[in-house]
Amino acid sequence: KMVDPTLAEMGKNLNEAMKMLEDNQRKVEEENEKKYARKDIPGPLQGSGQDMVSILQLVQNLMHGEEEEETSQSYRLQNVGEQGHMALLGHSLAAYISVLDRERLRKLTTRILSDTTLWLCRLFRYENGSAYYHEDDREGLLKICRLVIHTHYEDYSLEGFNVLYTKQPVIYISSAARTGLGQALCNQLGLPLSCMCRVPCNTMFGSQHQMDVALLDRVIKDDVESGKLPLLLVANAGTPGAGHTDKLGRLKELCEQYKMWLHVEGVNLATLALGYVSSSVLAATKCDSMTLTLGSWLGLPAVPAVTLYRHEDPSLSLAAGLTSSQPVEKLRALPLWLSLQYLGHDGIVERIKHASQLSQRLLENLKNLDFIKTSVEDELSSPVVVFKFFQEYSNRDQISHAAQASTIQHPVISNERHIYDTFNQWLGEQLAQLVPASGVDVVELEDEGTCVRFSPLMTSAVLGTEIQDIDQLVDCLKMKIPVLTSTLQLREEFEQEVRRTVGLLYIEDLGWPGLGVVRYNYHCDGKNDDKQEKELEKINTELLKKLNELESDLTFSLGPEFGGQKNCVYIGMVMEDLDVSELVETIAATGREIEENSRLLENMTEVVRKGIQEAQLQLQKANEERLLEEGLLRQIPVVGSVLNWFSPFQASPKGRTFNLTAGSLESTESMYVSKAQGTGTTPPPTPTSNLAKQRLPGQKAFKRSLRSSDGCSETSSISHCDDLDKMDQRPPALSPGQEQGPLEMEKAEEQKDVAQADIDTEDIHSDKSPPDCTKVEDQASQR
């Protein structure tokens, strides 16, 4: 069939047009999709994803900081060795193994779990035990509590909390336990806080960080008589604060008597792997359960904590969550399984033994230091060393201090302890900053107060602490002890000097580790409180700036960022050669000078303002007088010029000058006559404040003179430099080969006569005044 060429051409053009329209429509739809894409999708997830290099770069920036603002002292990265790499490899392998088929996964996880449990029970002398691996170190104790509840309450799985109404369960923990442990257990178990009983520590006999067993026995008897059910006792083999171990043997007997469960935790459990174990820690092997934190002991990153326990009913363990039927849950033990094999028995024992040797090395050095008081459980083998700065009194001072203490009230004793806590807080922070590899930290104890703690079992494997780090720590401690003792001794003298000085106000801040806090007290009548507060802030800020400009070893600051007093000058630690009186005098003189300059500026501003007003009035009056003298015709523009040309008018210019020194207006007539400033008031010399006494070359401010003689008084030591200058001005002695001429002989005789006259004059004055060692030295030098 023949097709019309015109129709064919039209059909071809139509197809091309439809294609173009469809293509344009498709482009419009794609642009609309891009235009109306979801805007709530975060940036990293938008698009088709990112490559591996960009993702790893992002992780690196998040770990180390893009701008690297942190310094090496602000944070400490864990020392990850090869054993740490094995632990990290275990997490990757656990994720890979989890994709195996179910049967092969079950066999592999069972083998890993059984091997790790057996190794840990043999290493830590815990026979016939089971293991529960958990991330949070408190989770193991939580599961144990559920196991004990299921054991004592048979219908708990059916009736739940209703069965607890008949007999309220009671869990006993030590008052030296971790902060918040009891509340966390009650929250997770759904029990009221009345189910948690805190047992006090010893007060009369034994360690003050051990649980009072006799008191615990009485508390349990009272609970049983009141219809309660004792469930579980949490004991410590190394308290979190001081590292002391409870009397586990007696506690185990008490638990057997009342059918209670005994759970033990603490850092001292690590010593069970050593060849020699103290009897107090060895008793932990008889307990019902214990929690081990192998990550910090062996320096293994991201490994789980382990709770070893003994129980015969596997169904109750499954109900409590101690065991799981899921193979993936058993893979938690894989990092430990790899790391323990890599370290071996010798490597594990070596790391724990090294930590014990570090603590023993530090304890031996601390015994030889004065003003350092240690608190350890066993001086022969104590994994944790706790010490503090404490200034002991000598026999004579102790008697006087005891006499004063009999009249001192309790607030003074409390203030003294607060000061020691502040100083020990500063000491711990300084040691941690100077020797970061030591791992020392500050701990608050109930009886001792603020102390410095060294627990190498928790830090040495992570930070890589060595013997030389302990020696460096002791050297830094020796440097800080004189600073602490000097500051503590001069603190009271500084307070007395400030209270005696007019214009200074002593601010008592027991939380400031330093010499003290002072404020320049600015009072001005006629000003409101806001303006006076601004002036006070301005003066004390300028005072702080002036003090920091002085060449001294002292540190002046505005105090702590939070909790400090406003508009004060905080003085840091000092040495024993500090001259407190000179320091206080300098602060007061500098403050007065700043206040006088401020008032001078205010007065000058007022004087200038009044002078300008007076000058304007006088100039206006002078213009009126000039108008009367010249006449009206001279003020007409053209006529005045012609008249001035025929008959000039001679008038002396009368100006005014303002004398800032005298604060008055003066005429400038004499200036135009003599071409110089007229006779005005001579400005007085600018007062210069002698803030500090004359110092020897190289001697810094606020230091006592070391060249002063002990036989002279403190006032004579000030003029000792003048005596030295006088001795330097004497004529030099002639050598034996030199001869004096007639002129020199005459000058020498005249100087001798003048010196004799001066001596006679001084002898006359000496009859009226007591002798002074400075005058005696002057006479000797003149002779």
Side-chain angles (χ1 to χ4, degrees):
K1 198 182 226 180
M2 295 298 293
V3 180
D4 189 356
T6 305
L7 294 177
E9 186 69 22
M10 288 178 60
K12 182 179 179 181
N13 294 335
L14 181 61
N15 290 332
E16 292 179 357
M18 293 298 295
K19 277 186 180 179
M20 292 175 61
L21 291 175
E22 290 177 355
D23 292 341
N24 291 334
Q25 181 68 22
R26 190 179 299 108
K27 291 180 180 179
V28 170
E29 291 178 355
E30 291 178 356
E31 291 178 359
N32 290 335
E33 288 181 359
K34 294 181 179 179
K35 183 177 180 180
Y36 296 102
R38 293 180 58 183
K39 297 182 179 180
D40 57 343
I41 301 300
L45 301 183
Q46 293 179 0
S48 58
Q50 303 184 31
D51 56 351
M52 182 65 70
V53 177
S54 301
I55 297 175
L56 292 179
Q57 184 66 36
L58 176 61
V59 174
Q60 181 179 356
N61 294 336
L62 293 176
M63 289 176 58
H64 302 287
E66 297 181 358
E67 299 179 357
E68 296 184 357
E69 297 178 354
E70 299 87 352
T71 60
S72 59
Q73 297 179 353
S74 61
Y75 71 97
R76 296 174 295 193
L77 191 62
Q78 180 170 339
N79 183 24
V80 181
E82 294 184 0
Q83 74 278 4
H85 294 164
M86 293 298 295
L88 299 177
L89 177 63
H91 290 275
S92 301
L93 286 178
Y96 177 74
I97 292 172
S98 62
V99 301
L100 297 176
D101 60 274
R102 189 174 184 82
E103 184 62 26
R104 188 175 298 179
L105 178 62
R106 184 186 61 81
K107 292 181 180 180
L108 182 58
T109 54
T110 303
R111 171 67 183 275
I112 293 173
L113 187 64
S114 60
D115 286 352
T116 310
T117 302
L118 177 62
W119 298 342
L120 292 176
C121 290
R122 293 293 177 83
L123 283 172
F124 295 97
R125 308 170 188 263
Y126 197 82
E127 300 296 334
N128 302 324
S130 302
Y132 173 65
Y133 302 88
H134 47 92
E135 301 297 333
D136 189 358
D137 53 0
R138 297 178 297 184
E139 188 178 354
L141 177 57
L142 176 63
K143 302 294 185 181
I144 291 296
C145 292
R146 290 177 177 171
L147 175 62
V148 178
I149 291 176
H150 279 282
T151 304
H152 285 78
Y153 297 93
E154 298 179 358
D155 299 333
Y156 181 75
S157 58
L158 298 176
E159 300 182 9
F161 63 89
N162 291 324
V163 298
L164 304 179
Y165 285 141
T166 57
K167 283 190 176 182
Q168 180 180 347
V170 183
I171 300 175
Y172 303 91
I173 63 173
S174 173
S175 59
R178 286 179 290 174
T179 304
L181 178 61
Q183 185 175 1
L185 291 177
C186 289
N187 293 338
Q188 295 295 326
L189 296 172
L191 299 176
L193 292 179
S194 59
C195 295
M196 190 64 55
C197 178
R198 294 179 62 88
V199 182
C201 295
N202 295 324
T203 55
M204 298 296 295
F205 304 101
S207 172
Q208 296 180 349
H209 302 279
Q210 290 180 349
M211 194 184 304
D212 193 340
V213 182
L215 181 59
L216 174 63
D217 190 8
R218 294 195 299 268
V219 171
I220 295 176
K221 286 181 180 180
D222 295 340
D223 290 339
V224 172
E225 291 177 358
S226 61
K228 297 180 181 180
L229 179 62
L231 280 185
L232 181 138
L233 173 64
V234 182
N236 292 300
T239 56
H244 291 205
T245 302
D246 291 326
K247 298 176 182 179
L248 301 179
R250 295 183 58 187
L251 293 177
K252 179 59 179 176
E253 296 175 358
L254 196 62
C255 289
E256 291 178 351
Q257 178 182 351
Y258 292 101
K259 298 180 181 181
M260 296 171 55
W261 185 285
L262 178 60
H263 178 82
V264 181
E265 60 181 16
V267 67
N268 293 348
L269 292 176
T271 59
L272 289 173
L274 301 178
Y276 169 76
V277 186
S278 61
S279 58
S280 59
V281 180
L282 189 61
T285 59
K286 304 299 181 183
C287 65
D288 299 302
S289 61
M290 65 169 64
T291 298
L292 310 176
T293 55
L294 298 171
S296 57
W297 298 349
L298 304 178
L300 303 176
V303 296
V306 184
T307 297
L308 303 178
Y309 65 96
R310 296 189 186 100
H311 200 265
E312 299 177 356
D313 194 346
S315 62
L316 295 180
S317 300
L318 181 61
L322 289 169
T323 58
S324 176
S325 59
Q326 298 294 329
V328 180
E329 295 291 333
K330 300 178 182 179
L331 287 176
R332 291 181 180 177
L334 182 57
L336 271 178
W337 186 72
L338 295 174
S339 301
L340 292 178
Q341 290 184 83
Y342 181 83
L343 290 174
H345 179 264
D346 294 341
I348 295 171
V349 173
E350 179 63 27
R351 278 162 175 76
I352 299 176
K353 186 177 180 181
H354 175 68
S356 301
Q357 291 174 351
L358 291 177
S359 60
Q360 196 64 26
R361 177 67 171 265
L362 178 61
L363 184 60
E364 291 176 357
N365 290 323
L366 292 179
K367 292 179 182 178
N368 301 325
L369 296 181
D370 297 330
F371 310 113
I372 294 297
K373 183 179 179 181
T374 59
S375 175
V376 294
E377 183 180 11
D378 186 4
E379 294 187 356
L380 298 178
S381 61
S382 180
V384 181
V385 179
V386 176
F387 61 93
K388 62 179 295 186
F389 165 74
F390 185 77
Q391 191 170 4
E392 299 283 352
Y393 292 94
S394 61
N395 293 333
R396 191 167 110 192
D397 294 338
Q398 193 168 3
I399 297 175
S400 61
H401 181 73
Q404 294 177 1
S406 61
T407 59
I408 292 178
Q409 301 297 328
H410 293 288
V412 178
I413 301 176
S414 177
N415 292 345
E416 182 179 356
R417 173 170 176 173
H418 198 167
I419 293 174
Y420 275 109
D421 290 346
T422 302
F423 277 42
N424 283 284
Q425 177 80 23
W426 177 85
L427 177 62
E429 293 174 354
Q430 289 290 314
L431 294 178
Q433 182 179 4
L434 295 174
V435 193
S438 63
V440 295
D441 59 351
V442 180
V443 62
E444 295 284 344
L445 301 180
E446 184 176 357
D447 296 318
E448 289 84 354
T450 304
C451 300
V452 183
R453 177 180 58 185
F454 176 65
S455 182
L457 281 172
M458 299 296 295
T459 59
S460 63
V462 174
L463 300 176
T465 310
E466 299 295 338
I467 295 294
Q468 55 267 24
D469 297 325
I470 303 302
D471 297 338
Q472 183 182 359
L473 179 67
V474 175
D475 293 338
C476 294
L477 185 60
K478 291 179 180 178
M479 294 172 56
K480 297 301 178 182
I481 289 177
V483 178
L484 291 169
T485 54
S486 303
T487 306
L488 190 62
Q489 291 175 358
L490 298 176
R491 193 179 176 105
E492 183 177 358
E493 181 182 351
F494 175 76
E495 178 180 357
Q496 295 176 357
E497 287 288 340
V498 171
R499 294 187 185 278
R500 286 197 298 260
T501 305
V502 179
L504 297 183
L505 180 64
Y506 180 79
I507 305 298
E508 186 175 7
D509 190 351
L510 301 179
W512 172 249
L515 184 65
V517 185
V518 65
R519 173 189 297 163
Y520 184 80
N521 205 7
Y522 172 78
H523 291 292
C524 183
D525 298 335
K527 292 186 178 182
N528 54 15
D529 296 338
D530 295 338
K531 189 171 183 180
Q532 187 171 346
E533 185 72 17
K534 291 181 180 180
E535 290 291 337
L536 182 65
E537 180 181 1
K538 180 181 178 181
I539 292 177
N540 284 276
T541 303
E542 185 67 21
L543 174 61
L544 176 63
K545 181 181 178 181
K546 293 287 186 181
L547 292 175
N548 284 323
E549 292 175 355
L550 299 176
E551 295 183 1
S552 66
D553 295 332
L554 301 182
T555 56
F556 303 94
S557 65
L558 294 175
E561 184 177 0
F562 302 102
Q565 297 286 338
K566 293 183 179 180
N567 305 327
C568 296
V569 177
Y570 285 75
I571 306 174
M573 294 289 179
V574 299
M575 293 299 293
E576 59 180 356
D577 57 350
L578 174 68
D579 194 337
V580 178
S581 60
E582 181 189 353
L583 172 62
V584 176
E585 180 184 355
T586 303
I587 295 175
T590 307
R592 285 193 297 267
E593 182 180 355
I594 296 173
E595 181 182 1
E596 291 173 0
N597 293 337
S598 177
R599 290 182 176 177
L600 179 61
L601 182 60
E602 293 180 358
N603 297 335
M604 185 179 297
T605 303
E606 184 67 20
V607 169
V608 170
R609 186 181 64 83
K610 293 181 178 179
I612 293 175
Q613 294 177 357
E614 184 179 354
Q616 290 177 349
L617 294 176
Q618 293 186 9
L619 290 176
Q620 184 179 0
K621 184 178 180 180
N623 289 332
E624 295 176 355
E625 293 177 354
R626 183 175 62 84
L627 183 62
L628 295 176
E629 290 179 0
E630 293 179 356
L632 182 60
L633 292 178
R634 293 183 183 273
Q635 309 303 322
I636 301 175
V638 179
V639 177
S641 301
V642 175
L643 185 61
N644 290 332
W645 182 72
F646 283 106
S647 176
F649 181 79
Q650 299 293 333
S652 60
K654 296 181 181 180
R656 296 291 186 273
T657 178
F658 184 73
N659 193 338
L660 293 177
T661 304
S664 60
L665 284 172
E666 299 177 359
S667 176
T668 57
E669 295 180 0
S670 57
M671 180 185 300
Y672 289 104
V673 174
S674 61
K675 305 298 181 180
Q677 179 69 31
T679 58
T681 306
T682 304
T686 304
T688 58
S689 60
N690 188 12
L691 299 181
K693 64 183 181 181
Q694 186 177 0
R695 296 189 295 270
L696 298 175
Q699 183 181 359
K700 294 186 177 181
F702 315 127
K703 296 286 186 181
R704 292 196 181 98
S705 178
L706 301 178
R707 294 176 60 179
S708 59
S709 176
D710 296 337
C712 299
S713 61
E714 295 182 357
T715 56
S716 64
S717 63
I718 299 177
S719 60
H720 188 69
C721 298
D722 299 336
D723 300 338
L724 295 177
D725 296 336
K726 292 179 180 179
M727 295 177 65
D728 295 336
Q729 294 175 1
R730 291 182 304 174
L734 296 175
S735 59
Q738 295 177 343
E739 294 182 357
Q740 293 180 346
L743 183 59
E744 285 81 6
M745 292 291 294
E746 291 178 1
K747 290 183 178 180
E749 291 178 358
E750 291 177 0
Q751 291 178 357
K752 185 175 180 181
D753 296 337
V754 172
Q756 185 64 31
D758 293 339
I759 294 174
D760 296 337
T761 305
E762 290 179 357
D763 291 339
I764 295 174
H765 289 290
S766 64
D767 296 336
K768 300 180 181 179
S769 61
D772 189 6
C773 62
T774 307
K775 296 181 179 180
V776 175
E777 293 178 358
D778 294 340
Q779 295 174 8
S781 61
Q782 292 175 357
R783 293 193 181 95

